[in-house]
Amino acid sequence: MPQVLAQGKTIKCNRGAKLGRILQENGIDLYNGGAKLINCRGIGSCGTCAVKIEGEVSAPNWRDKARCSLPPHSPTAELRLACQTQVLGDIKVTKFEGFWGEGSQIVWTPEG
């Protein structure tokens, strides 16, 4: 079973599980500020669940690629949409500031 390390929590999940759902079900603050209320609820159109991921996950799908290539995101930022990403192995997740999680300041790290 893969393990997800995020915001100081270690979470075991099934291989192929969607990262966004795992984080939310385990009380991880996936959204910043107003994005907690205004987001696309996992369809991959808003980009507010963007996180940095280290470890084995699915390749970006077309929704992830499209949204992360549009401002305020940047295709070179190495962020992924948690709602579109499947966990395939052990991973570490980092969240950045900004409504879309696109900022340069870290909000939380894998360790907390």
Side-chain angles (χ1 to χ4, degrees), residues 15-96:
R15 181 177 164 83
K18 292 280 178 118
L19 178 59
R21 181 169 290 150
I22 293 164
L23 297 175
Q24 289 182 303
E25 288 175 353
N26 287 278
I28 305 295
D29 296 325
L30 181 56
Y31 301 104
N32 296 334
K36 292 176 184 176
L37 301 173
I38 303 170
N39 61 71
C40 68
R41 307 291 187 250
I43 62 171
S45 62
C46 74
T48 58
C49 67
V51 292
K52 179 181 175 186
I53 303 168
E54 300 172 66
E56 188 182 2
V57 294
S58 59
N61 64 21
W62 69 270
R63 285 186 181 113
D64 199 343
K65 287 179 187 177
R67 185 60 195 98
C68 287
S69 69
L70 298 171
H73 292 295
S74 167
T76 61
E78 298 181 11
L79 296 178
R80 295 287 306 273
L81 300 183
C83 71
Q84 299 298 305
T85 303
Q86 294 177 300
V87 178
L88 302 178
D90 293 348
I91 65 169
K92 294 181 180 182
V93 184
T94 302
K95 181 71 178 179
F96 293 91

